[in-house]
Amino acid sequence: MEKKVSKRSRKEEEDLEALIAHFQTLDAKRTQTVEIPCSPPSPRLNASLSVHPEKDELILFGGEYFNGQKTFLYNELYVYNIRKDTWTKVDIPSPPPRRCAHQAVVVPQGGGQLWVFGGEFASPNGEQFYHYKDLWVLHLATKTWEQVKSTGGPSGRSGHRMVAWKRQLILFGGFHESTRDYIYYNDVYAFNLDTFTWSTLSPSGTGPTPRSGCQMSVTPQGGIVVYGGYSKQRVKKDVDKGTRHSDMFLLKPEDGREDKWVWTRMNPSGVKPTPRSGFSVAMAPNHQTLFFGGVCDEEEEESLSGEFFNDLYFYDATRNRWFEGQLKGPKSEKKKRRRGRKEEPEGGSKPACGGAGTQGPVQVVKEVVAEDGTVVTIKQVLTAPGSVGQPRSEDEDSLEEAGSPAPGPCPRSNAMLAVKHGMLYVYGGMFEAGDRQVTLSDLHCLDLHRMEAWKALVEMDPETQEWLEETDSEEDSEEVEGAEGGVDDDSGEESGGGLRRAPARGAWQVLCPRPPRTQPC
């Protein structure tokens, strides 16, 4: 039986390699770079959203989309001009193969370079996966892709994390999954940007257990923080148990030597995020790490349900402290609403939902026991519902006509984040409604200095998204177009539904089969 499974696994990998080669042949037909103004990209998750080091631009690459029957993978490159609020699709000859759950890091040298490592490709039916171990660089000044071949690098994987540290790329963790088995990693690699060589780091001390989809960020003091993530273990035949990690570690050079590293367990103070997977991370002003969204799954042997989030947290490495990001709301709105209430007659009707006491925010405090045994205190400020049935003042009416503040991005996992000039941008991701997976294509921004209100730059109505019910037929898996994802598709990414892998959950983050969702990328 083992020999049969191994043979089938090799055959599936060969089939995927042939499919990838077919797509690369199609991509090779491009002979010149073409920039095409376009509408916003189609829905997707597990893509990468990067900030141009010199221009006011965001760079979106790759990603996936699942429509209920087929998985679509992308290697498209889009550029969003922040000042002009415009999108451009950039077709470049010989790009990396289609993928999702990769890692992309921007460095400033040479007019800007976007380095991409790993990720995965899925068959159209979302049941077979190929993990990449290739390294690419996009030269932003010349708009050319280059594959950098160097031995001694990481094995093929998804859901890993990678950061730029001085003149190196530091890579940690991830996972590899096949029909036969799966494995999670906690190894650390360094790629030298001067010599183009890989090296394996062997830090001393006790480091994180194997995981994927974690937070990885560089501190002002020159260390690297790793927080959270996801992993799973086989508890009995054909039954796996997932773990949402909530521990934190610091990786730093020992005694200032770049050839010797050490792990240290950290115990940050403050209000920590609840344990979850599929969250997204970006570097905020003042060298703080911003943490957004994610999902907390309740796993059973044959099903998976989850609570999605759209909350914000910040980690201050200088103070080793977490704190939650709470929006203040526009000042003008508060002032006008106060004045409007003052002008009400004393005998005016009271709100139908409970009088003046319901107008203030309510703080809810609860305690959650993390997987390492520590107790996490969660504080959430809930805005009281509006005064149902109460006449609005003229000031309130005119305020709404002028445009009330956007409610912000809905709860989601595996969104793409980027910060430029103190503005946070959130694009795409996914959430679930019953057995349906909704893949998003909206774009929101938030001024992190003011922390007043979200602004919607691209809106999306999830109800308009096509969702195809699963069939018992395997005919779709034979169709090459399914994994290609053409220019005219309204598709985005990921696998979901049925017994599919939910990549968007902590395994390849930024993700995997559903139900149950097995990996957060």
Side-chain angles (χ1 to χ4, degrees):
M1 179 61 72
E2 282 294 313
K3 288 181 179 179
K4 287 182 179 179
V5 172
S6 177
K7 185 176 180 180
R8 193 179 86 179
S9 180
R10 287 197 301 270
K11 175 66 166 58
E12 290 176 351
E13 188 165 296
E14 290 170 359
D15 291 343
L16 289 181
E17 287 176 346
L19 190 55
I20 293 169
H22 168 74
F23 290 141
Q24 286 185 287
T25 301
L26 297 178
D27 291 333
K29 294 180 180 179
R30 302 176 191 170
T31 58
Q32 59 184 1
T33 299
V34 179
E35 300 184 35
I36 309 167
C38 63
S39 56
S42 59
R44 61 194 66 198
L45 65 155
N46 296 330
S48 57
L49 186 65
S50 308
V51 174
H52 197 295
E54 297 180 358
K55 300 180 180 179
D56 292 332
E57 294 178 346
L58 305 181
I59 304 164
L60 180 72
F61 172 72
E64 62 171 323
Y65 169 78
F66 179 66
N67 68 359
Q69 292 183 359
K70 284 186 183 180
T71 299
F72 297 79
L73 276 297
Y74 303 101
N75 63 347
E76 301 166 327
L77 186 75
Y78 290 92
V79 174
Y80 175 68
N81 187 301
I82 295 173
R83 294 190 181 277
K84 297 180 181 179
D85 187 26
T86 57
W87 288 92
T88 303
K89 187 173 184 290
V90 185
D91 290 330
I92 301 175
S94 303
R98 290 156 174 76
R99 68 189 63 205
C100 64
H102 53 280
Q103 281 289 279
V105 172
V106 170
V107 295
Q109 49 255 46
Q113 297 173 345
L114 176 71
W115 289 85
V116 174
F117 177 82
E120 69 179 58
F121 178 86
S123 61
N125 64 8
E127 294 178 358
Q128 301 171 28
F129 304 92
Y130 180 87
H131 297 265
Y132 294 104
K133 59 178 180 179
D134 50 354
L135 179 66
W136 293 77
V137 58
L138 173 63
H139 300 280
L140 299 176
T142 58
K143 292 186 174 63
T144 54
W145 282 107
E146 176 189 357
Q147 184 176 3
V148 178
K149 297 182 178 181
S150 177
T151 59
S155 57
R157 62 188 66 194
S158 308
H160 51 288
R161 292 296 176 262
M162 187 169 73
V163 295
W165 185 85
K166 296 186 177 180
R167 299 283 293 178
Q168 299 183 80
L169 302 177
I170 307 296
L171 184 147
F172 168 79
F175 79 100
H176 181 283
E177 183 169 6
S178 66
T179 305
R180 186 183 183 189
D181 206 354
Y182 58 83
I183 183 173
Y184 284 80
Y185 302 104
N186 63 347
D187 46 3
V188 186
Y189 288 85
F191 181 78
N192 190 298
L193 294 171
D194 294 319
T195 62
F196 282 18
T197 55
W198 284 104
S199 60
T200 304
L201 303 184
S202 301
S204 59
T206 302
T209 56
R211 65 192 62 192
S212 67
C214 59
Q215 166 191 322
M216 188 177 184
S217 55
V218 179
T219 70
Q221 297 80 20
I224 298 173
V225 167
V226 170
Y227 168 78
Y230 176 91
S231 64
K232 65 177 182 178
Q233 292 180 321
R234 184 144 295 165
V235 293
K236 59 182 180 180
K237 186 178 180 181
D238 299 327
V239 177
D240 301 316
K241 181 182 179 181
T243 298
R244 299 182 299 272
H245 299 280
S246 57
D247 45 3
M248 179 178 283
F249 297 84
L250 177 67
L251 176 66
K252 64 178 181 180
E254 193 169 3
D255 301 326
R257 296 170 50 187
E258 294 186 14
D259 61 339
K260 194 174 182 182
W261 294 71
V262 60
W263 282 113
T264 305
R265 177 71 180 262
M266 301 184 70
N267 294 296
S269 60
V271 181
K272 305 173 186 177
T274 53
R276 64 188 72 182
S277 61
F279 54 81
S280 304
V281 173
M283 291 306 297
N286 302 321
H287 302 286
Q288 294 177 344
T289 303
L290 185 150
F291 177 109
F292 171 80
V295 61
C296 179
D297 288 323
E298 294 298 329
E299 299 184 33
E300 298 180 7
E301 290 190 11
E302 295 298 331
S303 66
L304 184 70
S305 61
E307 178 185 3
F308 290 79
F309 302 96
N310 61 350
D311 46 0
L312 281 173
Y313 288 87
F314 295 86
Y315 173 68
D316 188 330
T318 303
R319 295 186 287 172
N320 190 26
R321 183 178 181 85
W322 282 102
F323 60 95
E324 55 187 333
Q326 296 183 355
L327 302 188
K328 304 172 185 176
K331 295 179 181 178
S332 58
E333 179 189 10
K334 291 180 180 178
K335 189 174 181 180
K336 284 188 177 182
R337 289 192 183 277
R338 261 200 312 274
R339 187 167 62 245
R341 283 197 296 272
K342 260 188 175 180
E343 293 170 359
E344 291 175 2
E346 292 182 5
S349 60
K350 294 183 179 181
C353 54
T358 63
Q359 297 303 310
V362 178
Q363 185 178 66
V364 178
V365 181
K366 60 182 178 179
E367 293 185 345
V368 177
V369 179
E371 120 270 329
D372 59 358
T374 60
V375 178
V376 181
T377 301
I378 307 302
K379 295 182 181 179
Q380 186 177 13
V381 177
L382 303 177
T383 304
S387 48
V388 180
Q390 181 180 11
R392 293 177 299 185
S393 68
E394 291 183 5
D395 283 335
E396 289 175 323
D397 287 333
S398 62
L399 179 65
E400 289 197 3
E401 290 173 6
S404 57
C410 65
R412 65 191 66 195
S413 69
N414 301 84
M416 283 63 74
L417 301 192
V419 175
K420 181 75 172 181
H421 299 316
M423 299 292 292
L424 167 65
Y425 295 87
V426 176
Y427 173 78
M430 62 85 74
F431 67 90
E432 289 160 357
D435 293 333
R436 176 183 177 183
Q437 174 180 303
V438 178
T439 306
L440 300 163
S441 61
D442 50 353
L443 177 65
H444 297 261
C445 70
L446 174 67
D447 188 327
L448 296 175
H449 296 295
R450 295 178 178 272
M451 290 293 290
E452 290 181 353
W454 287 95
K455 178 181 179 182
L457 301 174
V458 177
E459 296 185 278
M460 172 192 175
D461 181 4
E463 294 296 326
T464 62
Q465 187 170 96
E466 177 187 48
W467 180 256
L468 304 177
E469 295 298 329
E470 282 193 301
T471 64
D472 295 329
S473 171
E474 296 182 358
E475 294 177 2
D476 289 340
S477 63
E478 304 295 330
E479 300 180 25
V480 169
E481 305 86 70
E484 182 173 355
V487 176
D488 297 328
D489 279 347
D490 285 331
S491 26
E493 120 192 22
E494 174 179 321
S495 49
L499 287 174
R500 298 183 185 276
R501 201 151 140 280
R505 308 325 189 128
W508 11 323
Q509 182 173 7
V510 284
L511 336 166
C512 320
R514 280 251 351 162
R517 243 182 263 121
T518 60
Q519 322 295 343
C521 299

